Amino acid sequence: MKLRTLVPLVLTFGWLTGCQTPPDRQQLENQNAQLEADLARARAQIATLETQEQQLRAQVDELSRVMAVLDTEKTVRVQESSQLRGQVRRYVQNEIDELKDFMMQSNLLDYVGGELVERSGIDNDPKLLIDLANPMPGTGTLTGVSAYFLKPGTFTVQVLRPVQDELLVIWKSAVLSAEQAGEQRINFPVSVGVEQGDVIGYIFHQPGTLSFDQGTGNTLYTESAPNLGQSVKIRALDGDDEKRAYPVGVYGLLN
């Protein structure tokens, strides 16, 4: 009974084994060929990219060379331009200085201020003197100051602009120096623009540098001088009832 059962099983196993076929060789060859083609295309792309990289590197090197040349040329042009501008500025400044000297010597500049004569009164301490009697009659440029000095001394000049009931300091000169007594004209290191209605303030650092008269002017004063950008109230100034006049003023070109 067992033998009869075993024989059919052996026959069935043999039949199944005989029915199995080996893998499709043609399919494997096709897949291998496809992979080789893909690999060849990848290698070709890599070669193309390497060629492009070399070309780009060459372009970068060329651009770097051109930029270096341009930087050198720009530096040379800037140096030449700076030298030329410096020469032109010096020439123009010399011409301006000569023109200012000519106009000053010929009394062709506009003068705004008090008469340049010796007066009777003398200040005993330094003050900011604000000449309200001689506001600027028009817009223009101030180039210097004139005064009748009793003795040598130093001073500064301010331009003040009326703003409602205050005077705002919009410009302040460097320290100027009068080297001797008498009528002197002193140029500002830098000219200053003014507008109609601006008034001029003077601070003489040594007592007795200028003289003054009373009753003929309208110069107010204060011992607390405002700095550049600060303002002073007109009603806070002293000397309203004295009507002082000082021998000092400014000159320039006014419209």
Side-chain angles (χ1 to χ4, degrees):
M1 185 68 179
K2 293 181 179 180
L3 182 59
R4 290 179 181 178
T5 304
L6 182 60
V7 171
L9 290 175
V10 171
L11 292 175
T12 302
F13 178 77
W15 179 79
L16 290 174
T17 304
C19 290
Q20 290 182 352
T21 59
D24 189 348
R25 182 174 181 178
Q26 184 63 38
Q27 182 179 1
L28 293 176
E29 290 178 352
N30 291 339
Q31 291 178 351
N32 187 38
Q34 182 65 38
L35 291 174
E36 289 179 352
D38 292 342
L39 180 60
R41 283 194 298 270
R43 287 175 176 172
Q45 291 177 353
I46 291 173
T48 301
L49 292 175
E50 289 177 346
T51 301
Q52 292 177 351
E53 181 182 8
Q54 292 176 355
Q55 293 174 349
L56 290 174
R57 289 183 181 276
Q59 292 177 1
V60 170
D61 293 340
E62 179 63 16
L63 289 175
S64 298
R65 185 192 66 80
V66 172
M67 289 179 63
V69 173
L70 291 176
D71 287 341
T72 302
E73 293 177 350
K74 180 180 178 181
T75 301
V76 173
R77 287 197 299 270
V78 168
Q79 292 175 349
E80 293 176 349
S81 178
S82 298
Q83 293 174 355
L84 180 59
R85 286 198 300 269
Q87 293 173 355
V88 171
R89 287 195 186 106
R90 287 191 293 271
Y91 172 78
V92 172
Q93 188 61 52
N94 289 335
E95 293 295 315
I96 292 174
D97 292 340
E98 291 180 1
L99 179 60
K100 286 166 57 178
D101 291 339
F102 170 77
M103 297 186 71
M104 188 169 64
Q105 296 296 332
S106 303
N107 291 322
L108 297 177
L109 295 174
D110 299 307
Y111 175 77
V112 181
E115 295 297 326
L116 303 178
V117 295
E118 185 175 354
R119 301 171 186 268
S120 58
I122 297 177
D123 283 322
N124 295 320
D125 49 18
K127 297 180 177 67
L128 168 63
L129 310 175
I130 302 177
D131 186 3
L132 297 182
N134 296 288
M136 295 298 105
T139 60
T141 302
L142 301 181
T143 58
V145 59
S146 293
Y148 190 94
F149 294 92
L150 297 179
K151 64 180 183 179
T154 59
F155 63 99
T156 56
V157 180
Q158 293 184 351
V159 176
L160 300 100
R161 182 158 296 166
V163 179
Q164 296 180 352
D165 62 341
E166 297 182 345
L167 296 173
L168 174 66
V169 180
I170 63 170
W171 180 81
K172 183 178 181 180
S173 74
V175 176
L176 305 173
S177 178
E179 302 298 334
Q180 57 186 5
E183 182 178 337
Q184 301 291 323
R185 290 186 175 184
I186 301 167
N187 288 333
F188 296 141
V190 179
S191 300
V192 56
V194 292
E195 295 183 0
Q196 184 176 4
D198 289 346
V199 295
I200 307 301
Y202 309 90
I203 304 174
F204 294 92
H205 303 145
Q206 294 81 26
T209 305
L210 287 189
S211 57
F212 66 89
D213 285 329
Q214 293 185 351
T216 60
N218 189 24
T219 298
L220 304 184
Y221 56 86
T222 177
E223 295 182 359
S224 301
N227 292 318
L228 182 64
Q230 296 180 338
S231 60
V232 58
K233 291 186 177 297
I234 297 176
R235 65 174 180 270
L237 299 174
D238 298 321
D240 184 54
D241 57 341
E242 300 179 36
K243 305 298 180 183
R244 290 188 177 189
Y246 287 81
V248 62
V250 290
Y251 57 84
L253 295 172
L254 301 174
N255 297 326

